[in-house]
C-alpha cells in the first residue's frame, strides 16, 4: 500500500485558506431527506440537462461502478450500470457539449438515472447527488463477517455510522482550529460546517458514504484527508520505532484525540477498516492534494498506538487563559453564605457553550445579582483541559455587564425559556 509522505501533508496544508462557517448548527441528513440541500432529482424532478457537463457525468458514472461499453471515440460513449442491471439498460453520453444532440442525450440519460434512483439503484442515486450538489465523497469500509441473512445487525451498522460521524466532527474541528484535544471547544462551529452533509445507505453494515458539498464542506474534507494520512504515517512510525514524535508533529495537520478516537471506533471489532476520499469532478482537485490516492487503511494492530496518542493528546493539551462573558443559568452552594459554583451560558470569549466556575462569596453574590437582573457577567480565568474545557479555574474580576434595553430584553427572554434556579432544578413558567 502507498501513502503520501508525512512531510508533504504538512507543507500542503499550510497553503489552505481558513474556512469560515456561515450557517447555524445542523445535523447530517439522509439522502431521503432533501430539506437540508434541495435535490431536483428527488421525486419526479431531475437535474437540468442544460446545466450538466457530460465530462463530469462520465467521471461520476466511472466512480460509482458504471462501465464504458463502446461508442464512437471522441464523440459518444455508452455506459452500463454495475450489478444485474448491466445487460438490461445503458446510457449514451456525448463526449462534450459541442454536439447538436448533446442536450437531448443528456436529458434521456438523466431521466433514466432518475428512474433507476427511484427504483433503489444506489449507484444512480449517488451519481445524481454528485450532479445536483457538487460534493467531495468520503467512504468508509469495515472488514466484518457478513450476517447470515445478508442484513446488518443494528449494533454493527450503528458502530459504522457513529465512527463516521466522529471522524467528520474531528475533521470539522481541525478545519476550525488546530489542537491535540478539543473537548467542548469549537463544537457549535464544527457542527455548523457539517450542516449540509448528505449520507448514503450502509448496505450490510460494512460500508458508508458521506457527500461533503464543496461550497460549505471542502475545507473539512481537505483537513480530514491530510489528517488521516498523517495518522497512518505516525502509526507506522510508532510501530517501527516505538516513538510518538510523529503523532506530536501530526497535530499541525489536524490529528487530534477526537480523530484517534474516531479511528479506534471504526476499527474496533473488525479485522480492519479503510477510508477513501474522492474529490468532486465538477470542482476539481483542491490545492495541495493529489487527484487520486488509495484508501487509508487501519488494522487492529494500530489500536495500541492510537490509544497511546489519544491519551498523550489529552494529557498535554494546556489550559487556556480566557476572558468570558456569559449569562448565569445555575447557582449552587452548600450553605446560605460563603463560596459556591455557578454555571454560565457562554456569550463570548471562549469557544464552548457552557462553563462551570467556583466563586468566592463576593463574586458569588455579584453573579446572583446579575442573574436576578437578567444581565450577563464578565470574568477572567483559565479554561481547564481536564473535563473537556468545561471548567474555569482561578476566576477573578467578576462584574455584571451593562447592556442596552434591547439586548437586555433578548437575554431576559432567553433566561425565561431556560430558567434554572439556585438548587439546580428547572422551574417551568
Amino acid at each position: 500500500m502507498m501513502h503520501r509522505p508525512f512531510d508533504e501533508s504538512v507543507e500542503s496544508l499550510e497553503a489552505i485558506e481558513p474556512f469560515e462557517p456561515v450557517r447555524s448548527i445542523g445535523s447530517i441528513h439522509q439522502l431521503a431527506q432533501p430539506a437540508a440541500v434541495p435535490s431536483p432529482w428527488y421525486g419526479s424532478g431531475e437535474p437540468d440537462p442544460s446545466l450538466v457537463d457530460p465530462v463530469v457525468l462520465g467521471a461520476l458514472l466511472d466512480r460509482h461502478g458504471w462501465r464504458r461499453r463502446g461508442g464512437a471515440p471522441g464523440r459518444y460513449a455508452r455506459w452500463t450500470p454495475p450489478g444485474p442491471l448491466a445487460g438490461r439498460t445503458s446510457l449514451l453520453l456525448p463526449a462534450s457539449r459541442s454536439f447538436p444532440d448533446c442536450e437531448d442525450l443528456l436529458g434521456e440519460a438523466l431521466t433514466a438515472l432518475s428512474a433507476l434512483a427511484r427504483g433503489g439503484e444506489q449507484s444512480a442515486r449517488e451519481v445524481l447527488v454528485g450532479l445536483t450538489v457538487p460534493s467531495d465523497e468520503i467512504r468508509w469500509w469495515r472488514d466484518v463477517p457478513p450476517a447470515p441473512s445478508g442484513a446488518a445487525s443494528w449494533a454493527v451498522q450503528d458502530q459504522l455510522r457513529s465512527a463516521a460521524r466522529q471522524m467528520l466532527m474531528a475533521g470539522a474541528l481541525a478545519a476550525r482550529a488546530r489542537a491535540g484535544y478539543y473537548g467542548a471547544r469549537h463544537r457549535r462551529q464544527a457542527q455548523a460546517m457539517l450542516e449540509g452533509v448528505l449520507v448514503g445507505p450502509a448496505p450490510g453494515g460494512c460500508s458508508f458514504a458521506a457527500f461533503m458539498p464543496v461550497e460549505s464542506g471542502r475545507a473539512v474534507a481537505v483537513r480530514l484527508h491530510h489528517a488521516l494520512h498523517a495518522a497512518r504515517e505516525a502509526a507506522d512510525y510508532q510501530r517501527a520505532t516505538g516513538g510518538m514524535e510523529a503523532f506530536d508533529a501530526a497535530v499541525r495537520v489536524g490529528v487530534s484525540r477526537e480523530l484517534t478516537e474516531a479511528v479506534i471506533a471504526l476499527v474496533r471489532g473488525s479485522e480492519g477498516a479503510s477510508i477513501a476520499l474522492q474529490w468532486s469532478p465538477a470542482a476539481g482537485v483542491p490545492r495541495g492534494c493529489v487527484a487520486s490516492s488509495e484508501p487509508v487503511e487501519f488494522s487492529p494492530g494500530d489500536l495500541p498506538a492510537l490509544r497511546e496518542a489519544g491519551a498523550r493528546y489529552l494529557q498535554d493539551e494546556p489550559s487556556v487563559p480566557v476572558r468570558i462573558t456569559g449569562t448565569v443559568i445555575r447557582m449552587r452552594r452548600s450553605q446560605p453564605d460563603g463560596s459556591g459554583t455557578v454555571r454560565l451560558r457562554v456569550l463570548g470569549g471562549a469557544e464552548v457553550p457552557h462553563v462551570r466556575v467556583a466563586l468566592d462569596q463576593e463574586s458569588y453574590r455579584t453573579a446572583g445579582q446579575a442573574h436576578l437582573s437578567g444581565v450577563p457577567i464578565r470574568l477572567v480565568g483559565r479554561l481547564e483541559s481536564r473535563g473537556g474545557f468545561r471548567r474555569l479555574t482561578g476566576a477573578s474580576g467578576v462584574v455584571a455587564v451593562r447592556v442596552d434595553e434591547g439586548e437586555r430584553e433578548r437575554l431576559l427572554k432567553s433566561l425565561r425559556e431556560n430558567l434554572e434556579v439556585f438548587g439546580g432544578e428547572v422551574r417551568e413558567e
Side-chain angles (χ1 to χ4, degrees):
M1 184 196 316
M2 298 179 62
H3 300 290
R4 298 185 57 201
F6 175 65
D7 290 338
E8 179 187 346
S9 298
V10 175
E11 293 172 1
S12 59
L13 190 62
E14 299 303 321
I16 300 169
E17 296 296 327
F19 177 80
E20 290 295 331
V22 295
R23 294 195 289 178
S24 61
I25 189 170
S27 58
I28 298 175
H29 298 279
Q30 297 288 340
L31 286 178
Q33 296 173 325
V37 179
S39 299
W41 61 270
Y42 187 83
S44 60
E46 59 192 46
D48 186 348
S50 65
L51 302 178
V52 172
D53 184 345
V55 176
V56 171
L57 177 53
L60 288 169
L61 290 170
D62 181 66
R63 173 177 297 176
H64 293 286
W66 289 62
R67 293 291 176 262
R68 182 169 176 165
R69 303 294 187 187
R75 296 175 60 83
Y76 302 96
R78 186 169 295 280
W79 293 85
T80 57
L85 293 176
R88 295 160 50 190
T89 186
S90 65
L91 306 179
L92 186 63
L93 296 185
S96 71
R97 296 195 63 89
S98 62
F99 298 99
D101 58 349
C102 171
E103 199 162 310
D104 292 338
L105 290 176
L106 287 173
E108 293 173 4
L110 294 172
T111 298
L113 281 172
S114 297
L116 290 172
R118 288 192 294 271
E121 174 57 37
Q122 181 180 344
S123 66
R125 179 165 44 187
E126 292 180 346
V127 167
L128 287 168
V129 171
L131 284 178
T132 306
V133 185
S135 306
D136 298 322
E137 300 178 24
I138 305 173
R139 201 170 296 270
W140 295 263
W141 291 273
R142 296 181 74 237
D143 186 2
V144 294
S149 63
S153 70
W154 176 277
V156 168
Q157 190 166 101
D158 186 62
Q159 182 176 355
L160 176 60
R161 289 178 177 271
S162 177
R165 187 183 305 112
Q166 287 179 251
M167 196 169 292
L168 289 178
M169 176 59 72
L173 289 167
R176 181 69 186 178
R178 225 61 56 81
Y181 173 54
Y182 295 95
R185 295 180 297 170
H186 309 293
R187 291 277 167 175
R188 287 178 293 190
Q189 294 82 358
Q191 286 176 331
M193 289 181 173
L194 302 177
E195 182 176 296
V197 176
L198 298 170
V199 299
C206 298
S207 66
F208 186 66
F211 299 83
M212 304 285 296
V214 171
E215 184 177 355
S216 61
R218 168 144 285 189
V220 176
V222 171
R223 291 295 194 272
L224 189 57
H225 169 78
H226 287 290
L228 285 169
H229 281 280
R232 176 64 269 166
E233 299 295 336
D236 288 340
Y237 181 86
Q238 194 279 337
R239 293 181 70 176
T241 68
M244 297 298 292
E245 298 86 352
F247 275 110
D248 295 338
V251 172
R252 289 182 293 163
V253 295
V255 180
S256 63
R257 176 179 172 85
E258 282 75 9
L259 182 69
T260 60
E261 289 293 305
V263 176
I264 291 169
L266 183 67
V267 174
R268 186 174 53 236
S270 74
E271 297 180 10
S274 60
I275 309 100
L277 196 149
Q278 295 175 303
W279 309 114
S280 165
V285 180
R287 185 175 56 178
C289 299
V290 296
S292 62
S293 60
E294 293 185 8
V296 182
E297 299 182 356
F298 293 92
S299 70
D302 298 315
L303 296 184
L306 292 168
R307 291 193 180 101
E308 184 178 351
R312 190 181 182 93
Y313 291 144
L314 178 63
Q315 179 180 355
D316 292 349
E317 191 65 26
S319 59
V320 182
V322 292
R323 186 172 185 235
I324 286 179
T325 301
T327 56
V328 178
I329 58 174
R330 178 179 295 168
M331 305 186 71
R332 183 192 296 270
R333 60 181 175 183
S334 58
Q335 304 177 39
D337 57 3
S339 61
T341 62
V342 300
R343 181 174 171 84
L344 303 178
R345 178 180 293 112
V346 176
L347 302 177
E351 297 286 352
V352 295
H354 302 91
V355 295
R356 187 181 302 276
V357 54
L359 299 176
D360 58 30
Q361 180 172 334
E362 187 61 32
S363 297
Y364 189 87
R365 182 180 296 113
T366 301
Q369 291 170 349
H371 175 73
L372 293 174
S373 301
V375 298
I377 62 173
R378 182 173 294 145
L379 67 165
V380 297
R382 298 192 69 85
L383 202 58
E384 286 290 325
S385 60
R386 289 178 298 174
F389 294 95
R390 296 179 177 90
R391 183 174 61 179
L392 197 71
T393 61
S396 62
V398 180
V399 294
V401 180
R402 299 302 173 188
V403 295
D404 59 41
E405 192 62 27
E407 181 68 7
R408 184 175 184 275
E409 287 300 319
R410 187 188 69 81
L411 291 172
L412 281 172
K413 180 180 179 181
S414 175
L415 289 172
R416 291 191 190 101
E417 291 173 350
N418 301 281
L419 185 60
E420 295 178 64
V421 297
F422 292 165
E425 299 174 353
V426 178
R427 175 181 297 165
E428 299 291 339
E429 295 198 3

